[in-house]
């Protein structure tokens, strides 16, 4: 099973908490072959289909190359808007995380994505 080293899990969680505060709902790590929920806020139930979410978010691995060399610049992150919150996906190389949050100002999503991308780039999950 591929997963981030324990120190990196703590870094990812700390970065997510710093950027989102009490709005943090969950943090999930994923790669092409694995998915692991690293954090779930205590008032939420564990009913989410992580495998289904991961399948959708893995499309981001291909999006990195599809968006390469466009006038938009390099792909950075994705924010999905839902009725009860937001999902932010950040990918670096062959792994990524998605974070779910309550409503936040847009600049906090950018701060969150930047911090998480930096941590993801700092370790190789293999």
């Amino acid at each position: 099973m591929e997963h981030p080293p324990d120190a990196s899990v703590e870094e990812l969680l700390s970065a997510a908490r710093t950027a989102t505060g009490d709005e943090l709902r969950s943090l999930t790590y994923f790669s092409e072959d694995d998915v692991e929920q690293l954090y779930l806020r205590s008032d939420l139930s564990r009913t989410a289909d992580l495998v289904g979410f991961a399948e959708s978010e893995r499309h981001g691995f291909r999006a990195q190359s599809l968006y390469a060399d466009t006038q938009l610049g390099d792909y950075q992150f994705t924010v999905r808007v839902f009725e009860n919150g937001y999902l932010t996906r950040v990918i670096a190389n062959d792994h990524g995380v998605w974070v779910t949050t309550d409503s936040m100002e847009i600049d906090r999503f950018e701060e969150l994505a930047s911090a998480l991308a930096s941590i993801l780039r700092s370790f190789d999950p293999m």
Side-chain angles (χ1 to χ4, degrees), residues 8-9 11-13 15-16 95 114-123:
S8 295
V9 169
E11 281 185 83
L12 289 166
L13 188 52
H95 59 160
S114 176
L116 294 174
S118 177
I119 296 164
L120 287 170
R121 285 190 297 268
S122 75
F123 70 91

Side-chain angles (χ1 to χ4, degrees), residues 61-78:
F61 294 131
R62 289 171 284 293
Q64 289 181 103
S65 62
L66 292 173
Y67 294 128
D69 301 321
T70 69
Q71 293 181 11
L72 292 171
D74 293 335
Y75 167 82
Q76 295 181 357
F77 65 99
T78 298

Side-chain angles (χ1 to χ4, degrees), residues 94-112:
D94 297 329
H95 59 160
V97 292
W98 75 76
V99 177
T100 62
T101 63
D102 295 328
S103 183
M104 302 187 312
E105 296 295 321
I106 190 67
D107 60 330
R108 291 177 64 199
F109 290 106
E110 292 171 1
E111 180 183 328
L112 170 66

Side-chain angles (χ1 to χ4, degrees), residues 43-102:
D43 65 324
L44 301 173
S45 66
R46 293 193 174 273
T47 58
D49 175 12
L50 294 180
V51 173
F53 270 78
E55 189 58 35
S56 177
E57 298 312 321
R58 286 180 180 122
H59 292 288
F61 294 131
R62 289 171 284 293
Q64 289 181 103
S65 62
L66 292 173
Y67 294 128
D69 301 321
T70 69
Q71 293 181 11
L72 292 171
D74 293 335
Y75 167 82
Q76 295 181 357
F77 65 99
T78 298
V79 176
R80 299 184 195 287
V81 180
F82 296 88
E83 181 180 355
N84 295 319
Y86 297 83
L87 182 146
T88 304
R89 178 189 67 208
V90 180
I91 291 175
N93 302 317
D94 297 329
H95 59 160
V97 292
W98 75 76
V99 177
T100 62
T101 63
D102 295 328

